[in-house]
Amino acid sequence: CKNDHPELNGKTTHQKGAPAAAATAGDAQLNSSGYPLRPGSTPCAFYMKTGQCKFGQTCKNDHPEQNGAPAAAAGDAQLNSSGYPLRPGSTPCAFYMK
């Protein structure tokens, strides 16, 4: 969608490149973006498309890296907490605003 998807109810946004972490998420190691590496689990579909995951360290899926980077980078795009693109200055998305 080419329209803006502003945060509703004052939620904060997710930005590309969460802080790198050398810690663990439960029993999983974290990748350089701070998402859990869970080899053998289903790859996180949203992460594979955008390089971001709204569930963060609590996601049950795998977040593999390729050559030290997320499988698919989202450029400099910012996403809201629901995973939709923020495009300040654009018309708000009528369907999202319902």
Side-chain angles (χ1 to χ4, degrees):
C1 181
K2 65 181 181 176
N3 297 316
D4 187 28
H5 302 85
E7 284 297 335
L8 303 176
N9 302 324
K11 294 180 182 176
T12 58
T13 61
H14 290 282
Q15 297 181 356
K16 180 181 181 281
T24 61
D27 60 345
Q29 291 290 331
L30 301 180
N31 68 18
S32 62
S33 296
Y35 300 116
L37 294 168
R38 301 185 195 282
S41 295
T42 304
C44 178
F46 193 76
Y47 175 78
M48 297 301 286
K49 290 179 190 174
T50 67
Q52 299 180 38
C53 176
K54 70 179 180 179
F55 296 106
Q57 295 180 4
T58 62
C59 187
K60 65 180 182 174
N61 296 314
D62 187 26
H63 302 82
E65 295 193 83
Q66 293 180 356
N67 300 324
D76 292 331
Q78 291 185 350
L79 304 178
N80 67 18
S81 61
S82 298
Y84 296 104
L86 291 170
R87 294 192 170 97
S90 297
T91 306
C93 178
F95 295 102
Y96 174 76
M97 299 302 288
K98 287 183 182 181

